[in-house]
Amino acid sequence: MKATPSSSSSSSDCLFCRIVSGDIPANRVYEDELCIGFPDINPQAPTHLLIIPKRHIASAASAAEGDTGLLGSLVAAASAIARNEGLSKGYRIVMNTGDDGGQTVNHLHLHLLGGRRMTWPPG
Ligand code: AMP
Ligand code: ZN
């Protein structure tokens, strides 16, 4: 990993950067200085939220050592949102990475899934 944070440039071509900027509307159920949380448009569970950094990072594969604080903040945000959403029985946090990982939006994000029993292995 590089010691410096990954690129911080946002892109008007990036769907999630456009949500961060407000260009595309989303119901922000969570927001702090580093990240936002909003419902997935195609929910796969009764609760399905996305938590994304405000700064553009393409994926976990391009995260750098300088991003570790930000990555930790995303997990802490997911945990806080899960508490707010009443997911006391548990939930799943997913970070799809790259083509084989099933990533379709190239702006790093966590999926927070809950409200039903999850299966393993994932598809
Ligand atoms: P992934 O496939 O892991 O890259 O996740 C991208 C997710 O973004 C998918 O679950 C989509 O349903 C979701 N998504 C795409 N467009 C939007 C949007 N405008 N608002 C909310 N979620 C979206
Ligand atoms: Zn982006």
Side-chain angles (χ1 to χ4, degrees), residues 41-120:
I41 204 169
N42 182 22
Q44 302 301 313
T47 300
H48 186 174
L49 299 164
L50 300 172
I51 299 101
I52 72 172
K54 290 182 173 176
R55 180 163 65 80
H56 182 87
I57 302 174
S59 80
S62 53
E65 258 176 45
D67 298 322
T68 55
L70 176 58
L71 294 170
S73 295
L74 291 173
V75 175
S79 170
I81 295 167
R83 268 193 304 280
N84 283 345
E85 297 283 329
L87 301 178
S88 57
K89 290 171 74 179
Y91 47 88
R92 183 167 291 173
I93 295 171
V94 174
M95 189 188 290
N96 295 327
T97 304
D99 286 343
D100 275 5
Q103 183 175 6
T104 60
V105 177
N106 292 324
H107 179 128
L108 185 149
H109 51 281
L110 299 185
H111 295 258
L112 172 64
L113 298 141
R116 67 169 170 84
R117 189 82 171 185
M118 299 297 154
T119 59
W120 193 265

Side-chain angles (χ1 to χ4, degrees), residues 14-21 38 50 52 105 107-109:
C14 173
L15 174 67
F16 287 175
C17 282
R18 294 182 68 193
I19 287 178
V20 169
S21 72
F38 55 90
L50 300 172
I52 72 172
V105 177
H107 179 128
L108 185 149
H109 51 281

